[in-house]
């Protein structure tokens, strides 16, 4: 499904989700269970005005989105749902006034729970890592089609 619809999915992720559009999020890699994005630095993401560094909450938001996008690679319909249950981020180094790259991969996909691991990088150096737990609901429309 991903390969057939990559341009539609890319446009939806980058332009259809307002926070992604605002941040300038760009999809670099999208595979079943894995995603990599880049987000440019800009003045609106600054949290430490003394050192001109990224706000940790913005990084967490991007990491949460990346976990959700990875989960979305397992959607079977537009009615499928995904909602964050828990998000943990460990900040390892202050993020400088440079773009960040964030990767996310699925660790476990159960009947209703999805677990992802995410990593954020600058200049190939790990600056944050995290884990996301999501409620994943597939909407089965097969019986609607039979009636």
């Amino acid at each position: 499904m991903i390969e057939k619809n990559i341009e539609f999915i890319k446009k939806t992720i980058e332009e259809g989700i307002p926070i992604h559009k605002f941040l300038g999020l760009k999809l670099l890699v999208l595979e079943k269970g894995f995603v990599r994005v880049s987000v440019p630095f800009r003045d609106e993401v600054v949290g430490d005005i003394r050192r001109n560094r990224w706000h940790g909450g913005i990084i967490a938001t991007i990491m949460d989105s990346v976990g959700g996008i990875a989960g979305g690679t397992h959607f079977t319909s537009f009615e499928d749902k995904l909602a964050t249950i828990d998000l943990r981020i460990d900040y390892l180094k202050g993020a400088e006034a440079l773009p960040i790259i964030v990767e996310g991969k699925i660790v476990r996909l159960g009947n209703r729970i999805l677990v992802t691991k995410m990593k954020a990088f600058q200049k190939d150096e790990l600056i944050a890592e995290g884990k996301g737990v999501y409620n994943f609901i597939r909407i089965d429309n097969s019986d609607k089609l039979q009636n």
Side-chain angles (χ1 to χ4, degrees), residues 5-57:
N5 299 307
I6 192 68
E7 286 309 311
F8 172 75
I9 293 168
K10 182 176 173 50
K11 187 172 182 173
T12 300
I13 289 169
E14 293 178 355
E15 299 174 27
I17 300 171
I19 189 68
H20 295 175
K21 187 174 181 177
F22 171 77
L23 291 171
L25 182 143
K26 295 295 177 203
L27 188 61
L28 301 176
V29 177
L30 183 66
E31 300 169 353
K32 195 87 164 179
F34 178 80
V35 65
R36 180 181 299 125
V37 304
S38 69
V39 179
F41 177 82
R42 48 194 261 202
D43 292 340
E44 292 85 355
V45 302
V46 171
D48 183 345
I49 58 172
R50 298 166 301 153
R51 294 191 175 138
N52 202 34
R53 302 230 176 177
W54 283 75
H55 190 288

